[in-house]
Amino acid sequence: MDFFYPNFTNDHWRIEGLVFYGNAQYFEEEGRKTFRLKAIVDHLKQRGIGFFDTALAVRRLTDNASDKFLEVVVSTDIRSIVAHLPRLKAIVTTGEKATETIALSLGMTNEKGRAVLSAVGTALPSPIEGVELYRLPSSSRAYPMPLMKKAEAYRQMFERYVGVLSV
């Protein structure tokens, strides 16, 4: 994959289009079922937004796209990445599995060793000074929330960490 969320049925780039440009089709390639990679890269660079996977190796346990059926084999070394991002304000996840994976890798666990997860649309302080772990709803259409409601959740997060949204 050349970039994150390339699946045309996933609404991630529609959500960012709505939040930043008031247009769900902003990043879509006109007349094609794909997204404009250059526009996405330019947008992310301008806003200081980065993406990375929460795991370097996973095993799909069933023939199903749901993250519930993924086993994380090798977690991403989040602390190592964060060490190179001195202006980082938040690690933002878009799903329960991703949030759990990051929380575990940061040692955000309860007395039973289970990941401590924030509610969707909220943040928890991480053990990394000045960095929060913020959980968003999944942008997958399988996640049962209307597009506009997802966009509002993302808007609140972006206002908190990115600031001014309009171009």
Side-chain angles (χ1 to χ4, degrees):
M1 287 184 262
D2 292 330
F3 62 102
F4 287 86
Y5 302 108
N7 186 332
F8 196 71
T9 61
N10 187 292
D11 283 327
H12 183 88
W13 298 115
R14 289 177 191 89
I15 291 167
E16 286 209 34
L18 281 167
V19 169
F20 288 96
Y21 306 99
N23 179 355
Q25 286 75 42
Y26 183 84
F27 293 110
E28 292 181 14
E29 187 79 42
E30 191 173 334
R32 300 180 61 207
K33 291 186 175 188
T34 189
F35 297 104
R36 298 181 299 124
L37 180 56
K38 183 178 181 333
I40 289 169
V41 170
D42 291 347
H43 161 77
L44 297 174
K45 284 181 178 179
Q46 178 186 15
R47 304 294 180 172
I49 299 168
F51 285 82
F52 203 82
D53 288 315
T54 59
L56 299 177
V58 296
R59 183 176 298 120
R60 192 160 296 283
L61 302 175
T62 67
D63 190 22
N64 184 304
S66 173
D67 288 354
K68 287 188 279 189
F69 303 109
L70 287 181
E71 174 189 358
V72 174
V73 178
V74 179
S75 295
T76 297
D77 183 354
I78 296 300
R79 289 180 187 273
S80 175
I81 293 171
V82 170
H84 298 284
L85 301 168
R87 297 185 310 180
L88 185 70
K89 299 175 187 174
I91 298 167
V92 180
T93 58
T94 59
E96 184 172 351
K97 186 68 162 190
T99 308
E100 176 186 42
T101 301
I102 296 292
L104 289 171
S105 74
L106 293 175
M108 297 172 65
T109 58
N110 62 20
E111 59 282 344
K112 294 181 180 180
R114 293 196 176 117
V116 174
L117 306 179
S118 60
V120 173
T122 67
L124 288 174
S126 82
I128 302 169
E129 186 176 340
V131 177
E132 294 181 317
L133 179 58
Y134 197 100
R135 183 175 174 191
L136 284 173
S138 171
S139 57
S140 169
R141 291 187 182 174
Y143 188 80
M145 181 184 280
L147 178 64
M148 294 307 287
K149 192 166 182 179
K150 287 181 187 181
E152 183 53 34
Y154 281 60
R155 177 184 313 284
Q156 290 174 17
M157 179 277 297
F158 281 123
E159 286 175 346
R160 181 175 181 149
Y161 301 114
V162 177
V164 179
L165 299 183
S166 61
V167 175

